[in-house]
Amino acid sequence: MALPPSGTTDEAFLREVDEEYRRDQLIRAGRRYGVWAVAGLVAFLVAVAGWLFYDHSQRTAAEARGEEYDAALQLAAQNQVGQAQPGLDKLAQGEDGYAAMARFTQGNLLFQQGDKKGAAAKFASIVTDSKLAQPFRDLALVRQTQAEFDTINPQDVIQRLGTLANPDSPWFGTAGEMVAAAYLKSGKRGEAAKLYRQLSEAGPRVPDSIRERTAELAKTLSVTPTATTAQTQEKQAK
């Protein structure tokens, strides 16, 4: 039986050795890196599952707090303020929007009951809470100033609400009206008239009731006061 040329045999043998070596390398790599690939996949799946659980928990908690807030509001609307307070107190301890709204509700109830000092303190607790969103804190500053308006210096009102008493502010109506009144109390008739006019011409961004009031005040202040009236206003400002 004729034997194949030795060169051909050697090439076939080397090819088989090379293929076996490559196969062995692949198996080794699979064993070595396959473990890490599986571990990475497991870690990814655990992370996704954790996020889904967290998201579900957050949604469930928010829904529960929403129901608690609605229940407290219903009690307050039925003049059962005493029964509403425990729920509001619990909600007020949080750091989310429901915490802010619970405190707003408590402040509004105190204001309605004539306890302006207590209402101002409740609104102030929102103003100074850096964990709450800025719109809540700005509105609380407006409400705090409303509660304290008759007991603080007009200049304090102007300084507090200066940035909110401009046409670009969502609180322009209420804040602007208070600042204009503070100008008037300070004897700054021109500044008051200008701000009242801006409010009356602000359009739908400002409630109709405020626009109507400020339009009348702007018209009245546009009349130049007599010397006697001016002297009286200066004495009142002092």
Side-chain angles (χ1 to χ4, degrees):
M1 180 175 179
L3 295 174
S6 60
T8 304
T9 303
D10 291 343
E11 288 178 7
F13 174 74
L14 290 174
R15 222 177 8 253
E16 289 179 5
V17 170
D18 183 62
E19 289 176 359
E20 188 63 29
Y21 174 77
R22 289 176 183 275
R23 189 180 302 110
D24 183 64
Q25 288 292 93
L26 287 173
I27 292 172
R28 288 175 181 272
R31 288 173 179 172
R32 180 183 301 173
Y33 300 111
V35 172
W36 292 108
V38 171
L41 178 60
V42 170
F44 173 75
L45 292 175
V46 169
V48 170
W51 182 86
L52 291 173
F53 176 76
Y54 172 79
D55 183 63
H56 175 71
S57 299
Q58 290 293 97
R59 289 175 180 274
T60 302
E63 290 173 2
R65 286 173 68 76
E67 291 174 0
E68 291 174 1
Y69 181 67
D70 288 341
L73 280 187
Q74 290 178 13
L75 289 171
Q78 296 167 4
N79 293 322
Q80 300 180 46
V81 177
Q83 291 89 328
Q85 286 298 350
L88 293 173
D89 287 337
K90 178 184 175 184
L91 289 166
Q93 301 306 311
E95 300 177 359
D96 57 2
Y98 286 114
M101 291 190 290
R103 281 187 244 174
F104 269 118
T105 301
Q106 289 176 318
N108 291 334
L109 290 172
L110 289 169
F111 196 99
Q112 291 171 8
Q113 293 166 358
D115 185 0
K116 292 185 178 181
K117 185 176 181 179
K122 186 62 67 174
F123 294 133
S125 73
I126 302 173
V127 175
T128 57
D129 192 341
S130 60
K131 295 185 292 294
L132 296 176
Q134 194 61 45
F136 288 125
R137 298 170 68 189
D138 289 343
L139 177 57
L141 183 61
V142 173
R143 294 292 286 136
Q144 179 189 354
T145 307
Q146 282 181 311
E148 296 178 332
F149 187 82
D150 296 328
T151 60
I152 60 177
N153 191 288
Q155 191 59 35
D156 291 336
V157 175
I158 296 168
Q159 290 178 345
R160 261 191 206 180
L161 302 179
T163 58
L164 301 179
N166 71 81
D168 295 327
S169 167
W171 321 119
F172 180 47
T174 305
E177 190 173 24
M178 281 193 284
V179 170
Y183 278 139
L184 199 56
K185 288 176 70 174
S186 301
K188 299 178 180 179
R189 184 185 177 97
E191 287 89 338
K194 179 181 177 181
L195 190 47
Y196 279 135
R197 190 175 302 108
Q198 284 182 314
L199 287 162
S200 66
E201 297 172 353
R205 290 176 301 163
V206 172
D208 292 342
S209 57
I210 293 179
R211 283 191 284 126
E212 290 171 5
R213 277 198 305 271
T214 55
E216 289 298 321
L217 288 165
K219 182 188 292 186
T220 301
L221 291 172
S222 65
V223 178
T224 304
T226 62
T228 304
T229 305
Q231 291 172 359
T232 302
Q233 288 179 344
E234 288 179 7
K235 289 179 181 179
Q236 290 176 345
K238 293 177 181 178

